[in-house]
mmCIF file of all heavy atoms in Angstrom:
data_model
loop_
_atom_site.group_PDB
_atom_site.id
_atom_site.type_symbol
_atom_site.label_atom_id
_atom_site.label_comp_id
_atom_site.label_asym_id
_atom_site.label_seq_id
_atom_site.Cartn_x
_atom_site.Cartn_y
_atom_site.Cartn_z
ATOM 1 N N GLU A 77 -8.661 -28.053 -17.749
ATOM 2 C CA GLU A 77 -9.575 -28.206 -16.627
ATOM 3 C C GLU A 77 -9.868 -26.840 -16.001
ATOM 4 O O GLU A 77 -11.016 -26.543 -15.643
ATOM 5 C CB GLU A 77 -8.967 -29.160 -15.580
ATOM 6 C CG GLU A 77 -9.740 -29.290 -14.274
ATOM 7 C CD GLU A 77 -11.208 -29.694 -14.458
ATOM 8 O OE1 GLU A 77 -11.507 -30.348 -15.476
ATOM 9 O OE2 GLU A 77 -12.027 -29.334 -13.598
ATOM 10 N N PHE A 78 -8.833 -26.010 -15.911
ATOM 11 C CA PHE A 78 -9.037 -24.647 -15.399
ATOM 12 C C PHE A 78 -10.012 -23.888 -16.296
ATOM 13 O O PHE A 78 -10.929 -23.214 -15.814
ATOM 14 C CB PHE A 78 -7.704 -23.887 -15.338
ATOM 15 C CG PHE A 78 -7.868 -22.449 -14.942
ATOM 16 C CD1 PHE A 78 -7.893 -22.078 -13.606
ATOM 17 C CD2 PHE A 78 -8.039 -21.458 -15.910
ATOM 18 C CE1 PHE A 78 -8.076 -20.754 -13.239
ATOM 19 C CE2 PHE A 78 -8.232 -20.134 -15.549
ATOM 20 C CZ PHE A 78 -8.247 -19.783 -14.208
ATOM 21 N N GLY A 79 -9.814 -24.040 -17.605
ATOM 22 C CA GLY A 79 -10.692 -23.363 -18.565
ATOM 23 C C GLY A 79 -12.149 -23.781 -18.412
ATOM 24 O O GLY A 79 -13.050 -22.961 -18.538
ATOM 25 N N ARG A 80 -12.367 -25.069 -18.122
ATOM 26 C CA ARG A 80 -13.744 -25.554 -17.936
ATOM 27 C C ARG A 80 -14.321 -25.041 -16.624
ATOM 28 O O ARG A 80 -15.452 -24.567 -16.558
ATOM 29 C CB ARG A 80 -13.765 -27.086 -17.943
ATOM 30 C CG ARG A 80 -13.585 -27.705 -19.332
ATOM 31 C CD ARG A 80 -13.833 -29.201 -19.302
ATOM 32 N NE ARG A 80 -12.810 -29.956 -18.583
ATOM 33 C CZ ARG A 80 -11.715 -30.457 -19.146
ATOM 34 N NH1 ARG A 80 -11.495 -30.293 -20.435
ATOM 35 N NH2 ARG A 80 -10.828 -31.136 -18.434
ATOM 36 N N ARG A 81 -13.496 -25.129 -15.584
ATOM 37 C CA ARG A 81 -13.963 -24.785 -14.232
ATOM 38 C C ARG A 81 -14.197 -23.275 -14.071
ATOM 39 O O ARG A 81 -15.111 -22.859 -13.361
ATOM 40 C CB ARG A 81 -12.917 -25.248 -13.211
ATOM 41 C CG ARG A 81 -13.384 -25.223 -11.773
ATOM 42 C CD ARG A 81 -12.384 -25.923 -10.876
ATOM 43 N NE ARG A 81 -11.189 -25.138 -10.595
ATOM 44 C CZ ARG A 81 -11.125 -24.194 -9.651
ATOM 45 N NH1 ARG A 81 -12.169 -23.928 -8.910
ATOM 46 N NH2 ARG A 81 -10.002 -23.516 -9.456
ATOM 47 N N CYS A 82 -13.375 -22.479 -14.735
ATOM 48 C CA CYS A 82 -13.442 -21.026 -14.534
ATOM 49 C C CYS A 82 -13.777 -20.318 -15.842
ATOM 50 O O CYS A 82 -13.211 -19.264 -16.151
ATOM 51 C CB CYS A 82 -12.115 -20.517 -13.979
ATOM 52 S SG CYS A 82 -11.555 -21.428 -12.542
ATOM 53 N N SER A 83 -14.675 -20.906 -16.608
ATOM 54 C CA SER A 83 -14.945 -20.379 -17.953
ATOM 55 C C SER A 83 -15.528 -18.969 -17.927
ATOM 56 O O SER A 83 -15.399 -18.230 -18.905
ATOM 57 C CB SER A 83 -15.896 -21.319 -18.699
ATOM 58 O OG SER A 83 -17.098 -21.441 -17.969
ATOM 59 N N ASN A 84 -16.156 -18.572 -16.822
ATOM 60 C CA ASN A 84 -16.760 -17.235 -16.776
ATOM 61 C C ASN A 84 -15.713 -16.119 -16.667
ATOM 62 O O ASN A 84 -15.999 -14.966 -16.990
ATOM 63 C CB ASN A 84 -17.755 -17.121 -15.605
ATOM 64 C CG ASN A 84 -17.112 -17.514 -14.291
ATOM 65 O OD1 ASN A 84 -16.195 -18.334 -14.263
ATOM 66 N ND2 ASN A 84 -17.583 -16.933 -13.200
ATOM 67 N N ILE A 85 -14.505 -16.444 -16.215
ATOM 68 C CA ILE A 85 -13.480 -15.390 -16.116
ATOM 69 C C ILE A 85 -12.200 -15.779 -16.864
ATOM 70 O O ILE A 85 -11.129 -15.242 -16.564
ATOM 71 C CB ILE A 85 -13.121 -15.058 -14.643
ATOM 72 C CG1 ILE A 85 -12.613 -16.315 -13.909
ATOM 73 C CG2 ILE A 85 -14.277 -14.402 -13.921
ATOM 74 C CD1 ILE A 85 -11.676 -16.001 -12.760
ATOM 75 N N SER A 86 -12.292 -16.685 -17.804
ATOM 76 C CA SER A 86 -11.051 -17.063 -18.484
ATOM 77 C C SER A 86 -11.299 -17.579 -19.890
ATOM 78 O O SER A 86 -12.433 -17.915 -20.261
ATOM 79 C CB SER A 86 -10.310 -18.142 -17.682
ATOM 80 O OG SER A 86 -10.985 -19.375 -17.783
ATOM 81 N N ARG A 87 -10.230 -17.605 -20.645
ATOM 82 C CA ARG A 87 -10.240 -18.325 -21.922
ATOM 83 C C ARG A 87 -8.854 -18.945 -22.079
ATOM 84 O O ARG A 87 -7.868 -18.454 -21.512
ATOM 85 C CB ARG A 87 -10.578 -17.401 -23.095
ATOM 86 C CG ARG A 87 -9.422 -16.576 -23.584
ATOM 87 C CD ARG A 87 -9.789 -15.703 -24.770
ATOM 88 N NE ARG A 87 -8.732 -14.720 -24.946
ATOM 89 C CZ ARG A 87 -7.910 -14.679 -25.987
ATOM 90 N NH1 ARG A 87 -8.031 -15.538 -26.965
ATOM 91 N NH2 ARG A 87 -6.955 -13.766 -26.058
ATOM 92 N N ILE A 88 -8.819 -20.027 -22.841
ATOM 93 C CA ILE A 88 -7.566 -20.756 -23.061
ATOM 94 C C ILE A 88 -7.197 -20.617 -24.526
ATOM 95 O O ILE A 88 -8.055 -20.771 -25.401
ATOM 96 C CB ILE A 88 -7.748 -22.262 -22.723
ATOM 97 C CG1 ILE A 88 -8.343 -22.423 -21.319
ATOM 98 C CG2 ILE A 88 -6.450 -23.025 -22.880
ATOM 99 C CD1 ILE A 88 -7.529 -21.838 -20.213
ATOM 100 N N TYR A 89 -5.948 -20.323 -24.791
ATOM 101 C CA TYR A 89 -5.493 -20.281 -26.186
ATOM 102 C C TYR A 89 -4.027 -20.678 -26.255
ATOM 103 O O TYR A 89 -3.328 -20.710 -25.234
ATOM 104 C CB TYR A 89 -5.741 -18.898 -26.808
ATOM 105 C CG TYR A 89 -4.955 -17.752 -26.198
ATOM 106 C CD1 TYR A 89 -3.780 -17.283 -26.796
ATOM 107 C CD2 TYR A 89 -5.393 -17.115 -25.035
ATOM 108 C CE1 TYR A 89 -3.069 -16.220 -26.256
ATOM 109 C CE2 TYR A 89 -4.690 -16.058 -24.484
ATOM 110 C CZ TYR A 89 -3.527 -15.607 -25.098
ATOM 111 O OH TYR A 89 -2.832 -14.566 -24.547
ATOM 112 N N SER A 90 -3.587 -21.006 -27.456
ATOM 113 C CA SER A 90 -2.193 -21.407 -27.651
ATOM 114 C C SER A 90 -1.508 -20.371 -28.535
ATOM 115 O O SER A 90 -2.111 -19.871 -29.493
ATOM 116 C CB SER A 90 -2.133 -22.795 -28.299
ATOM 117 O OG SER A 90 -0.843 -23.032 -28.822
ATOM 118 N N ILE A 91 -0.246 -20.046 -28.220
ATOM 119 C CA ILE A 91 0.481 -19.055 -29.032
ATOM 120 C C ILE A 91 1.397 -19.729 -30.047
ATOM 121 O O ILE A 91 2.125 -19.062 -30.777
ATOM 122 C CB ILE A 91 1.310 -18.090 -28.145
ATOM 123 C CG1 ILE A 91 2.303 -18.854 -27.251
ATOM 124 C CG2 ILE A 91 0.391 -17.211 -27.319
ATOM 125 C CD1 ILE A 91 3.377 -17.969 -26.632
ATOM 126 N N GLY A 92 1.387 -21.063 -30.086
ATOM 127 C CA GLY A 92 2.259 -21.771 -31.023
ATOM 128 C C GLY A 92 2.652 -23.118 -30.449
ATOM 129 O O GLY A 92 2.031 -23.596 -29.487
ATOM 130 N N LYS A 93 3.674 -23.713 -31.023
ATOM 131 C CA LYS A 93 4.118 -25.023 -30.561
ATOM 132 C C LYS A 93 5.623 -25.049 -30.374
ATOM 133 O O LYS A 93 6.361 -24.296 -31.018
ATOM 134 C CB LYS A 93 3.707 -26.096 -31.580
ATOM 135 C CG LYS A 93 2.216 -26.367 -31.576
ATOM 136 C CD LYS A 93 1.853 -27.470 -32.544
ATOM 137 C CE LYS A 93 0.366 -27.806 -32.405
ATOM 138 N NZ LYS A 93 -0.064 -28.814 -33.379
ATOM 139 N N SER A 94 6.057 -25.957 -29.511
ATOM 140 C CA SER A 94 7.488 -26.136 -29.288
ATOM 141 C C SER A 94 8.097 -26.896 -30.469
ATOM 142 O O SER A 94 7.383 -27.296 -31.395
ATOM 143 C CB SER A 94 7.700 -26.928 -27.999
ATOM 144 O OG SER A 94 7.234 -28.261 -28.194
ATOM 145 N N VAL A 95 9.401 -27.109 -30.437
ATOM 146 C CA VAL A 95 10.081 -27.871 -31.498
ATOM 147 C C VAL A 95 9.424 -29.242 -31.672
ATOM 148 O O VAL A 95 9.202 -29.714 -32.786
ATOM 149 C CB VAL A 95 11.587 -28.043 -31.161
ATOM 150 C CG1 VAL A 95 12.270 -28.947 -32.176
ATOM 151 C CG2 VAL A 95 12.284 -26.683 -31.113
ATOM 152 N N HIS A 96 9.078 -29.874 -30.555
ATOM 153 C CA HIS A 96 8.462 -31.201 -30.606
ATOM 154 C C HIS A 96 6.940 -31.161 -30.733
ATOM 155 O O HIS A 96 6.262 -32.179 -30.539
ATOM 156 C CB HIS A 96 8.863 -32.011 -29.364
ATOM 157 C CG HIS A 96 10.270 -32.515 -29.441
ATOM 158 N ND1 HIS A 96 10.946 -33.029 -28.347
ATOM 159 C CD2 HIS A 96 11.155 -32.577 -30.479
ATOM 160 C CE1 HIS A 96 12.181 -33.383 -28.719
ATOM 161 N NE2 HIS A 96 12.324 -33.116 -30.001
ATOM 162 N N GLY A 97 6.392 -29.990 -31.015
ATOM 163 C CA GLY A 97 4.962 -29.889 -31.300
ATOM 164 C C GLY A 97 4.063 -29.792 -30.087
ATOM 165 O O GLY A 97 2.850 -30.007 -30.202
ATOM 166 N N VAL A 98 4.623 -29.473 -28.918
ATOM 167 C CA VAL A 98 3.784 -29.319 -27.722
ATOM 168 C C VAL A 98 3.165 -27.908 -27.746
ATOM 169 O O VAL A 98 3.903 -26.924 -27.871
ATOM 170 C CB VAL A 98 4.607 -29.508 -26.425
ATOM 171 C CG1 VAL A 98 3.724 -29.330 -25.194
ATOM 172 C CG2 VAL A 98 5.295 -30.855 -26.425
ATOM 173 N N PRO A 99 1.836 -27.806 -27.626
ATOM 174 C CA PRO A 99 1.207 -26.464 -27.650
ATOM 175 C C PRO A 99 1.674 -25.602 -26.478
ATOM 176 O O PRO A 99 1.853 -26.104 -25.360
ATOM 177 C CB PRO A 99 -0.293 -26.759 -27.541
ATOM 178 C CG PRO A 99 -0.446 -28.185 -27.913
ATOM 179 C CD PRO A 99 0.819 -28.868 -27.490
ATOM 180 N N LEU A 100 1.870 -24.316 -26.768
ATOM 181 C CA LEU A 100 2.261 -23.365 -25.719
ATOM 182 C C LEU A 100 0.975 -22.684 -25.235
ATOM 183 O O LEU A 100 0.545 -21.656 -25.753
ATOM 184 C CB LEU A 100 3.261 -22.349 -26.281
ATOM 185 C CG LEU A 100 4.528 -22.961 -26.915
ATOM 186 C CD1 LEU A 100 5.367 -21.887 -27.608
ATOM 187 C CD2 LEU A 100 5.360 -23.691 -25.858
ATOM 188 N N TRP A 101 0.368 -23.319 -24.210
ATOM 189 C CA TRP A 101 -0.950 -22.875 -23.736
ATOM 190 C C TRP A 101 -0.862 -21.615 -22.901
ATOM 191 O O TRP A 101 0.063 -21.455 -22.084
ATOM 192 C CB TRP A 101 -1.613 -23.971 -22.901
ATOM 193 C CG TRP A 101 -1.989 -25.175 -23.704
ATOM 194 C CD1 TRP A 101 -1.398 -26.408 -23.648
ATOM 195 C CD2 TRP A 101 -3.017 -25.265 -24.689
ATOM 196 N NE1 TRP A 101 -2.007 -27.276 -24.533
ATOM 197 C CE2 TRP A 101 -3.006 -26.591 -25.193
ATOM 198 C CE3 TRP A 101 -3.953 -24.365 -25.213
ATOM 199 C CZ2 TRP A 101 -3.892 -27.030 -26.184
ATOM 200 C CZ3 TRP A 101 -4.825 -24.799 -26.191
ATOM 201 C CH2 TRP A 101 -4.793 -26.121 -26.662
ATOM 202 N N VAL A 102 -1.859 -20.765 -23.093
ATOM 203 C CA VAL A 102 -1.970 -19.536 -22.298
ATOM 204 C C VAL A 102 -3.356 -19.500 -21.672
ATOM 205 O O VAL A 102 -4.351 -19.832 -22.306
ATOM 206 C CB VAL A 102 -1.771 -18.274 -23.175
ATOM 207 C CG1 VAL A 102 -2.006 -17.001 -22.362
ATOM 208 C CG2 VAL A 102 -0.379 -18.245 -23.783
ATOM 209 N N ILE A 103 -3.400 -19.085 -20.405
ATOM 210 C CA ILE A 103 -4.666 -18.820 -19.715
ATOM 211 C C ILE A 103 -4.826 -17.303 -19.638
ATOM 212 O O ILE A 103 -3.924 -16.608 -19.165
ATOM 213 C CB ILE A 103 -4.636 -19.382 -18.267
ATOM 214 C CG1 ILE A 103 -4.503 -20.910 -18.275
ATOM 215 C CG2 ILE A 103 -5.862 -18.937 -17.484
ATOM 216 C CD1 ILE A 103 -4.215 -21.496 -16.894
ATOM 217 N N GLU A 104 -5.950 -16.798 -20.126
ATOM 218 C CA GLU A 104 -6.249 -15.374 -19.933
ATOM 219 C C GLU A 104 -7.319 -15.268 -18.853
ATOM 220 O O GLU A 104 -8.360 -15.923 -18.926
ATOM 221 C CB GLU A 104 -6.756 -14.722 -21.226
ATOM 222 C CG GLU A 104 -7.064 -13.229 -21.017
ATOM 223 C CD GLU A 104 -7.813 -12.579 -22.170
ATOM 224 O OE1 GLU A 104 -8.023 -13.238 -23.195
ATOM 225 O OE2 GLU A 104 -8.192 -11.406 -22.013
ATOM 226 N N ILE A 105 -7.046 -14.438 -17.853
ATOM 227 C CA ILE A 105 -8.019 -14.222 -16.770
ATOM 228 C C ILE A 105 -8.500 -12.776 -16.818
ATOM 229 O O ILE A 105 -7.688 -11.838 -16.796
ATOM 230 C CB ILE A 105 -7.392 -14.543 -15.390
ATOM 231 C CG1 ILE A 105 -7.022 -16.023 -15.316
ATOM 232 C CG2 ILE A 105 -8.338 -14.159 -14.260
ATOM 233 C CD1 ILE A 105 -6.313 -16.425 -14.042
ATOM 234 N N SER A 106 -9.812 -12.616 -16.910
ATOM 235 C CA SER A 106 -10.420 -11.281 -16.952
ATOM 236 C C SER A 106 -11.934 -11.462 -16.825
ATOM 237 O O SER A 106 -12.454 -12.530 -17.125
ATOM 238 C CB SER A 106 -10.089 -10.600 -18.281
ATOM 239 O OG SER A 106 -10.987 -9.551 -18.551
ATOM 240 N N ASP A 107 -12.627 -10.398 -16.392
ATOM 241 C CA ASP A 107 -14.088 -10.512 -16.367
ATOM 242 C C ASP A 107 -14.651 -10.492 -17.783
ATOM 243 O O ASP A 107 -15.796 -10.897 -17.996
ATOM 244 C CB ASP A 107 -14.719 -9.411 -15.499
ATOM 245 C CG ASP A 107 -14.297 -8.022 -15.926
ATOM 246 O OD1 ASP A 107 -13.386 -7.906 -16.781
ATOM 247 O OD2 ASP A 107 -14.862 -7.054 -15.414
ATOM 248 N N LYS A 108 -13.863 -10.026 -18.739
ATOM 249 C CA LYS A 108 -14.263 -10.085 -20.151
ATOM 250 C C LYS A 108 -13.118 -10.674 -20.968
ATOM 251 O O LYS A 108 -12.482 -9.974 -21.763
ATOM 252 C CB LYS A 108 -14.631 -8.702 -20.657
ATOM 253 C CG LYS A 108 -15.939 -8.190 -20.054
ATOM 254 C CD LYS A 108 -16.271 -6.803 -20.555
ATOM 255 C CE LYS A 108 -17.524 -6.290 -19.845
ATOM 256 N NZ LYS A 108 -17.742 -4.867 -20.064
#
Side-chain angles (χ1 to χ4, degrees):
E77 173 55 27
F78 175 87
R80 286 189 291 270
R81 192 170 76 82
C82 309
S83 59
N84 54 331
I85 58 153
S86 72
R87 80 178 166 113
I88 308 300
Y89 65 99
S90 164
I91 57 165
K93 288 183 174 176
S94 68
V95 174
H96 284 166
V98 179
L100 304 172
W101 292 110
V102 175
I103 296 170
E104 180 191 355
I105 296 176
S106 160
D107 55 351
K108 290 179 184 168

